[in-house]
């Protein structure tokens, strides 16, 4: 009887430890799938890349747990998803990035299904031994599930905060671009009116601002870009004015 009791204790211990690894792997895989869905639903390449990278981070974390969880199918899908989603960062266009995200999303979904099957199988095989768990052990499992729910909620909150910060940065960039463009427009108007009043036979000075190119620049890059643009316009004006005096 004593040997049987020890045997049940050992089996229960192994089951709990193995299940904990699978639970952790499941959490990271679900988190990865949540991020890659957000990436697929993103309406710009910046958000698409951000959430794709978050998904890769969660997938990499899941691999450490999957090795102990012994769920080869989930690990295989996770590895394939990592390979595809890692290509998103180097994508030049939104469409190219979304192509990889779509495939990564499908593979990530398959990994979640696979880990769920592994966990279901493990629970089924050990159901007889789990009957020996005490009320305290069941309560610990309940607490573990609550902790997982809190972790997922925390991940969602962090993702929303990151998105909010990115939106604030975009608004700041838009305001900066508008200020510089207004300054450029005002300078060009003044330059052309001055040259005209001097009866110079000159070519009209025009803005060469590439609006499509500036949107992907950082705040510091924008400042350098527009300062150089203003310098170029001023240099062009001085050259035209110098020709006028001859």
């Amino acid at each position: 009887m004593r040997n049987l009791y020890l045997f049940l204790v050992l089996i229960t211990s192994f089951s709990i430890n193995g299940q904990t690894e699978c639970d952790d792997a499941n959490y990271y895989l679900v988190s990865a799938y949540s991020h890659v869905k957000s990436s697929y639903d993103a309406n710009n390449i910046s958000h698409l890349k951000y959430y794709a990278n978050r998904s890769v981070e969660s997938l990499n974390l899941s691999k450490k747990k999957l090795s102990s969880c012994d769920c080869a199918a989930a690990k295989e899908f996770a590895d394939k998803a990592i390979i595809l989603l890692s290509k998103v960062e180097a994508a030049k266009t939104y469409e190219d990035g979304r192509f990889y995200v779509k495939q990564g999303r499908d593979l990530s979904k398959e990994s979640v299904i696979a880990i769920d099957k592994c966990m279901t199988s493990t629970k089924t095989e050990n159901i007889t031994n789990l009957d020996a768990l005490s009320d305290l052990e069941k309560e610990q499992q309940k607490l573990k599930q609550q902790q997982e729910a809190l972790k997922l909620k925390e991940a969602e909150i962090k993702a929303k905060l990151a998105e909010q910060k990115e939106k604030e940065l975009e608004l700041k960039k838009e305001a900066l671009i508008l200020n510089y463009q207004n300054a450029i427009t005002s300078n060009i108007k003044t330059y052309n009116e001055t040259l005209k009043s001097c009866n110079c036979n000159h070519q009209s000075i025009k803005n060469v601002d590439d609006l499509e190119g500036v949107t992907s620049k950082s705040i510091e890059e924008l400042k350098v870009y527009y300062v150089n643009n203003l310098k170029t316009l001023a240099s062009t004006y001085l050259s035209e004015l110098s020709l006028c005096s001859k």
Side-chain angles (χ1 to χ4, degrees), residues 29 31-37 39-40 48-60 77-91 96-109 111:
L29 290 175
S31 181
Y33 181 55
S34 175
H35 290 317
V36 76
K37 284 198 300 180
S39 177
Y40 186 77
L48 181 128
K49 289 184 177 182
Y50 171 78
Y51 286 112
N53 288 333
R54 291 295 304 277
S55 184
V56 170
E57 291 174 0
S58 294
L59 286 169
N60 281 324
F77 284 124
D79 286 337
K80 291 180 179 179
I82 289 172
I83 291 173
L84 285 166
L85 293 176
S86 295
K87 296 180 180 180
V88 176
E89 183 62 31
D96 290 342
R98 202 162 189 257
F99 172 78
Y100 293 119
V101 168
K102 182 180 183 300
Q103 297 181 71
R105 180 198 63 180
D106 295 341
L107 288 167
S108 180
K109 180 179 179 180
S111 71

Side-chain angles (χ1 to χ4, degrees), residues 104-168:
R105 180 198 63 180
D106 295 341
L107 288 167
S108 180
K109 180 179 179 180
E110 290 299 326
S111 71
V112 173
I113 295 173
I115 189 67
D116 183 64
K117 288 181 178 179
C118 287
M119 294 174 70
T120 301
S121 175
T122 301
K123 290 176 182 178
T124 302
E125 292 173 0
N126 295 300
I127 190 168
T128 302
N129 296 324
L130 290 177
D131 289 339
L133 289 175
S134 65
D135 291 340
L136 178 59
E137 290 169 331
K138 292 178 181 179
E139 185 64 25
Q140 288 176 334
Q141 182 64 22
K142 182 180 178 180
L143 289 174
K144 178 65 178 179
Q145 292 173 350
Q146 292 175 344
Q147 289 172 350
E148 289 175 357
L150 289 173
K151 287 180 181 179
L152 186 57
K153 187 66 176 178
E154 182 183 2
E156 292 175 354
I157 292 174
K158 287 182 178 180
K160 288 181 180 179
L161 288 174
E163 185 176 356
Q164 182 179 346
K165 287 183 180 179
E166 190 160 347
K167 287 181 180 179
E168 291 175 354

Side-chain angles (χ1 to χ4, degrees), residues 203-218:
Q203 292 185 350
S204 179
I205 298 175
K206 297 179 180 180
N207 186 10
V208 293
D209 191 10
D210 180 10
L211 292 177
E212 184 177 351
V214 299
T215 55
S216 61
K217 297 180 183 295
S218 67

Side-chain angles (χ1 to χ4, degrees), residues 180 183-184 187 191 225-235:
Y180 274 116
I184 288 173
N187 284 0
Y191 292 159
Y225 171 80
Y226 277 112
V227 168
N228 288 335
N229 198 335
L230 287 166
K231 289 179 180 179
T232 300
L233 290 172
S235 178

